[in-house]
Amino acid sequence: MDLSQINCLVFDLDDTLYPQDCGVWHMIRDRIHRFLIKEMGFPPDVVTQLRTRLYQQYGTTLRGLQTEYSVNMDTYLDYVHAVPLEKALKPNPSMVHMLNCLPPRKVIFTNASANHASRVLYVLGVSDHFKDIIDVYTIAPYCKPEVEAFEIALNRINEEPTKCLLIDDSVKNLKTAISLGMKTVGVGNHPFDSSPHIENIMQLPKVFFPDLMP
């Protein structure tokens, strides 16, 4: 992929900037379950099935809860993101060096809140490398992978889709990005035939500089 043709790197946050198995998602998932049980009164034996259905039908559990139960966004996000990130993440000087090697403008595009994204970036030690955070509030009432969410994000970025590269762990998000003309790179456990794929974010430079990477 020719880096000179890309003006903006658009990074997903959770399970993209850090490994899926590091523990962050497990803590957030547990908080979602506790919210459904303690704050909404669902029986414990139905919450996994409910969360899965809402995620598959609406894109995020929050979007489904808003649509079907009029859940307050602030209340939900404050609750589920109240996790000790420092237990799972730590400053990553290698990521700082990797981001320094990639000159285009960099932004975060996430279904989480900007507050959560800022905390993740701070703990990783990479806050200064991202010029903007496009979060769930920015794209409301939509969310990834909805086309409307991407259109809002691209308008905020103010670049042609063909000049933007999405780095994301979700195949659904990659598909939407491609449909709009964006370049894409998949990250993590779910390869997608239409995108270059890397196992973790630290391999991103090999997409642009394969001859220099081991």
Side-chain angles (χ1 to χ4, degrees):
M1 188 176 295
D2 186 357
L3 189 59
S4 68
Q5 300 300 312
I6 298 169
N7 292 339
C8 187
L9 299 179
V10 184
F11 288 79
D12 178 48
L13 182 78
D14 293 309
D15 292 344
T16 293
L17 281 190
Y18 55 79
Q20 189 174 25
D21 60 357
C22 74
V24 173
W25 167 241
H26 296 292
M27 292 189 290
I28 294 175
R29 182 192 60 194
D30 289 346
R31 294 289 292 178
I32 294 173
H33 283 208
R34 289 171 61 184
F35 183 88
L36 293 172
I37 295 167
K38 295 186 175 182
E39 303 298 316
M40 298 194 67
F42 287 104
D45 60 343
V46 306
V47 296
T48 298
Q49 182 179 2
L50 174 64
R51 182 180 60 79
T52 300
R53 179 182 68 79
L54 294 177
Y55 175 79
Q56 292 176 345
Q57 185 172 345
Y58 296 99
T60 65
T61 303
L62 169 59
R63 186 81 172 93
L65 291 175
Q66 287 179 292
T67 302
E68 297 189 5
Y69 300 98
S70 300
V71 165
N72 180 271
M73 188 186 303
D74 294 343
T75 301
Y76 175 87
L77 291 172
D78 289 348
Y79 191 98
V80 303
H81 287 151
V83 297
L85 294 174
E86 296 79 4
K87 288 188 175 182
L89 304 176
K90 60 183 180 180
N92 190 338
S94 295
M95 187 183 296
V96 172
H97 176 71
M98 183 270 290
L99 293 172
N100 277 331
C101 294
L102 302 175
R105 180 162 58 113
K106 305 170 187 71
V107 303
I108 296 293
F109 180 26
T110 176
N111 280 333
S113 67
N115 179 61
H116 172 67
S118 295
R119 290 179 61 220
V120 170
L121 297 179
Y122 177 80
V123 174
L124 292 174
V126 297
S127 300
D128 292 344
H129 290 273
F130 293 91
K131 303 303 182 183
D132 197 5
I133 297 173
I134 302 167
D135 75 340
V136 65
Y137 291 95
T138 310
I139 59 178
Y142 308 106
C143 64
K144 296 190 293 183
E146 293 177 292
V147 171
E148 293 88 350
F150 278 79
E151 290 174 341
I152 292 171
L154 288 167
N155 185 63
R156 172 81 165 251
I157 294 167
N158 195 27
E159 290 282 359
E160 291 296 322
T162 54
K163 298 294 185 179
C164 297
L165 170 66
L166 177 72
I167 304 105
D168 203 303
D169 68 295
S170 166
V171 170
K172 289 182 178 180
N173 295 340
L174 298 173
K175 287 181 177 179
T176 301
I178 290 171
S179 75
L180 293 171
M182 298 175 69
K183 305 293 191 299
T184 57
V185 172
V187 183
N189 300 329
H190 304 289
F192 177 46
D193 290 343
S194 297
S195 292
H197 184 79
I198 54 178
E199 294 181 0
N200 63 73
I201 198 65
M202 296 306 301
Q203 296 176 337
L204 183 58
K206 80 175 187 179
V207 175
F208 307 107
F209 315 112
D211 295 337
L212 301 181
M213 299 296 292

